[in-house]
Structure formats: C-alpha cells, structure tokens
Amino acid sequence: MLNLSTLNPQQRQAVETIRGPLLILAGAGTGKTRVITFRIAHMVGRGIAPGNILGVTFTNKAAREMRERVTQLLPRRKTEDKANRPTICTFHSLCVRILRQHIDKLGYKKNFVIYDESEQLAAVKKILSAISTKGEKSDPGAVLAMLSKFKNGGESSARTLGDPSVRALAEHIAKRYESALHACNAVDFDDLILLTLRLFREHPDALQACRDKYKFVMVDEYQDTNASQFELVHSLTQEHRNFCVVGDDDQSIYGWRGAEVANLLNLEKHFPEVKIVKLEQNYRSTTTILSAANAIIKNNVQRRGKSLWSQKGAGAKILLNTYGNDEDEAREVVAQIEFKRLAYRVPWQDCAILFRTNQQSRPLETALRAAGVRYHLIGGQSFFDRREIKDFIAFLKTFLNPNDDISLLRIANVPARGLSDVTMERLLGASHDRKCSVFTAMKNPLVTTAFQTNTRKSIEAFVGFVERVQGQLQTTANEFRLQTWAENFLNETGYFAELRRLEKTPEAAEARVRNLKELMATMDGAGNAPTERLDNFLEGITLDSDREEEKENTGDAVTLITMHSCKGLEFPHVFVVGLEDGLLPHSRSKVEGTLDEERRLFYVAVTRAMQTLTISHCGGRKKYGQLLPCHPSPFLKELPEELVEHSDSKSKTPVAAESGKNLFAAMREAVYQ
C-alpha cells in the first residue's frame, strides 16, 4: 500500500489530483521526482491501467530513474507484464514508438534509421557543396542550427529567420535536406516529433489510437518544451484532458535552443480549468542560499510567483571573492577546495565549480592539475564521439540499411579497399543523377562500366561484402550472436589491424580496440530476430543523448560543469566563478533581449548549493594571451547585503578560540591519519 503520509501537504495534493488538467509548479529541490513517481503509483492504486499512463521527460537518465522508482512503488504483479507497464520515456523515444508502428503511412519504411548530429552535418555538407558558388564557404553547423529552428517553428524561429532572403534559403536547404534523408530512409531528431505531428494531422486514426492508449499524460520539465513538443502534448490530451505538467518557469534556461517558457506561463489559455499546485518547501539548501535565490529571481517580471523555503537553518553566509585575473581565481578556488578537504574532511566529490562558458574551464583545469586534485569535466568528449565507435556504428547502419548514404560513405574505404574519395564522389554524382542511393548506383552496371577495371572490381567486392554480411542477419537461428558476427566482419575487413597500425602507441591502440569490444558485448539485448536486436541497439545509442552521464564512476573528484548542464544536480559546496558583465549576463543577452533568461541561469546555479556557496569575479580575464579588463556582473547587486560575506572583510575577522582549536585538531588528524 502506498504511504502518502510521507509527503508534505502540497506534494500530497498534487499526487491525489489525478483527473483533469494540473500544473505542478515545482521549485528547485522541492522533491518533484518523488511527486511524479508517487502520482503514477497512486493512479495505478486507484484502478487506472498502467498501460494507459504516459510519463514524458527530456533525458534518458531522468526517464530511467523515474521508471526504477515507479517499479519500486508498484506491486510486483503490476510490473511483471511489460506490455502493461506505464510508458515513461523521452519525447524522442515516444515518437520513435509511434513512428515504428505508423511511419509507412508517410511513405517511409518501418526500419528507418535515426541520424545523429555528425550524420546530419555530413548531409548538410553534401547539400552545401552542391549549391555553393566557387570560393563561397558556409558553416555546416550554423546551417544545421538554422534548419532545426526553421523546422521547429515557434517565436524564436520567427525572430531568427525574420529576413525574407534567409527564410527563402532555409526553405530551399530544408527541402533538399528532407529529400536527402528520405532517400536514405532516415530521419533526424527534429523529424521524430515533426513526422509524428504530420502523422496525427494526416491520419486521424493513428492519433485516435495514441489517445486511446495514453489516457493519462504527465510531462516533466514543461518549461523546456518547444513549439512542436507543445503541439504533440496538446494533440494527445485535448480530448480526454487528463494532463499533468510539472515545471518551474524560474528554471527555463534553454530559450536558445527553442524552449518557450510561455508554454508554462500561458497554460490557462489552452486549459482554462487547470488546477495549480505550488511546491515551495526545499529539501536541498540552507535558508541563506534560498533567500538569495528568491531575491535574485523576483527581479524577473514575467513569472509565476513562488518563494522557496527550507527547514535546514540559516547556514553559512554566501562568500563573495574578487580576484585580479582568471588564473588567480582558478588557483584560489582550488586552494579553498583543498582547505575544505584538509581542515573539514570534505571530499572532492562534494565540491563543484560552475561557469557560464566552456572556455572558462581551461585555467580551472590547469590549476586543479597543478595541485594534484582529481576532477571530472562534464561535457568532455563522449564515448560515442570517438572515431572507432562512429566507424563501427556506420558499419552496422550500412548492413541494416545499405541505402543509408551517410553511413556507407563513411566506411566504404575504411580500411582502404580501393574506393578513393574521387571514386566515391563519382558514385555520389551518379546517385544524384539517377535519384537513387549510392549503394544502388554501385550495383548498376551502367554506372560501374565507366570505371577502370581495378576500381570496378573494388566496387563489386564491396557490394558483395555488404550483401553477404547483411545476409547473415537474416538467420532464424536462436544461437546467432551479434557480438560474434560483429567481431567477424571487423576482423575480415582488417579494421582491428588498421586501428593498431594507425595509433602511435600500443596502449592507445588497445584502448580503442577495448572500446569496440566493450560496446559489442552489449549488442545482444532486447529482441528476438538479429535485425530486431540490431535495430534496438542502434536506436538506444542514437536516442541516448545523455549517455555521457553513464560513464564509469569517477570516484572522488571535483565536478567542473557549465551552468546550462547543472540543472537537476546538487552539491554540498558550490563555487560559481566568472560573475562578470559580459559573461553572466552574457554580452549577447543585451542584443537579443534575453536578460531574464540569464538571470534564471544565475538562479539555477545558486540553487545547486546545499551547504555553502562561494561566488567570484575578476578584474581582468585573459583572451588570446592578452589581459582584458572585466566589470562585476549587475546580478551581484541583487544579492541581499546581509546574506553576503566579502572575502576581504572575512580575512580581518579574528577566528573564535574554540573554532581555531577545532580547526587545528581536524588538520592534525588529517595529516597524521
């Protein structure tokens, strides 16, 4: 039996309201995941079929955590039947589920592939090379970002593409890009939602089937939804209206990637009968930290009023430090972390350093290394961005779907097999002329007879290799192992040998081989037929965009993280560095009119701290080797003076005798233990 007495009154009210539209305004650290999971379990306890419940969140990590917690709360008999469990997933995973069932109605095959960012960039580069005039250079990354905004629509898109000539160019590239992906039976992340919306508009039967299945819908982090995600949720819920959204407009910090806080602020326009429950009791931070956060965020006019409070006591004042330059700042922050470790036995893993831009990490990393402090930089190179992993995934996608041009072009001459860049460019041109895939062009004698004998033999050998390895997947033998199959074709191509040949040291080569073998060991997961297992494996990799967080446990290490990446996390001791005008708020915000979002970013950074918060800024910061003057952030003036202790005044205050005795005792113990 679910025990609701462990919830506070507002949490309990949110859990027990299960019919009709509901907005749960969940401030930072107020236990929203607990409320969501209890609410799902409570619905099941009240007789609602688990299979009719849908929970949508933004990251796979959040979805996994939610699924695990719901499973623990539900009676075992309710979770044994997989088909009748609540669906808890990301927006993209939800759309993949829907499209795997219905995408053939839109002219795609059900075994479509999902392009990641590198494959999207490759597709954009191909288009740009075809339409650019000689000497003209375009940034494929910028074009891809423009395409994404254009496709997702919304207010931010209209602002960005207000220039008619820019909009015309975006439409032209978008049409060619869509055509290129469709030819490969591929979709990208934006397409997953947009094609689902198109499916709902053009095929009401598919929409009705989804409404019949998902009769109770919950959406987490609702302030982060963009226009198309809003439309998707609205389509599913406008009939039954059993719709619960959980979010905090004060933590809306992703406007730059299309999130529209108006979706949360203007909810009553679409659901006038919506009930609103505020969660304001914070279980994370001290009263001092929360009072500062409340004082900062109240300067944003367009927001839903809420005020965080805590029973954790006042705690230490916020420490404000000023340094001459960013290198001094980095050294002193590291010194303070080491002082906490030696004097108060604070482990490194309890400390986090937060910054506005990635470039700020360099002096911090240098100082940490110089002091011998272990650290974990969130946002380093992902396991799935490594060359050998990308090559391997391209092989798999090619065998699953040889008409996937991007994957085929990546591995056609890896390792070298006589298919030079010039040869592949000619084949690509032939595929454009014939409006077919590169693989189809490679199989066409009218195309291949134009090549020299050796090249033609290389093309035919490659086609034979792909078809033979692909054919092995068609087996119905239960003992067929994808891991063995993958090792065999990599050995046959000489890929392992190539890795060992190209690396400078045997250790680096073996690390790359080990990366591949560790990944291959995870291939034989869900599914029966080999192609189904391979589909599920690739889908999991492509959708799991936050896989970086699943890396090996870093142990006792300081966390270095950007403010945008820290939402949802908490640390006992937080150091917020670089509080300077131009960094936070960022110089762009004054031009783009996004000062409110920059203030929300500061609010998010402050509310990560549990016990102590230290903020610092510099009088100068190095750029290209030159020290440029900096000015304090205007946000610092919004901190109530009585909550702040300036480092210079602290240094003049004598330490109480008892405190000094305790401090030296702790240090002596740390040294001689």
Side-chain angles (χ1 to χ4, degrees), residues 502-521:
L502 291 174
E503 284 302 324
K504 290 179 182 175
T505 66
E507 294 79 16
E510 286 314 308
R512 290 195 183 274
V513 171
R514 188 170 62 249
N515 287 339
L516 280 172
K517 292 199 170 179
E518 284 176 2
L519 183 59
M520 285 188 277

Side-chain angles (χ1 to χ4, degrees), residues 124-132:
V124 168
K125 282 175 188 172
K126 276 167 60 180
I127 293 164
L128 291 175
S129 68
I131 67 172
S132 298

Side-chain angles (χ1 to χ4, degrees), residues 56 133 158 269 277-278 297 320 345 349 356 372 404 641:
V56 186
T133 55
K269 283 185 183 176
V277 177
K278 292 183 185 180
I297 204 65
L320 182 61
R345 313 289 289 277
Q349 65 192 18
R356 173 67 174 82
D404 174 359
E641 193 58 44

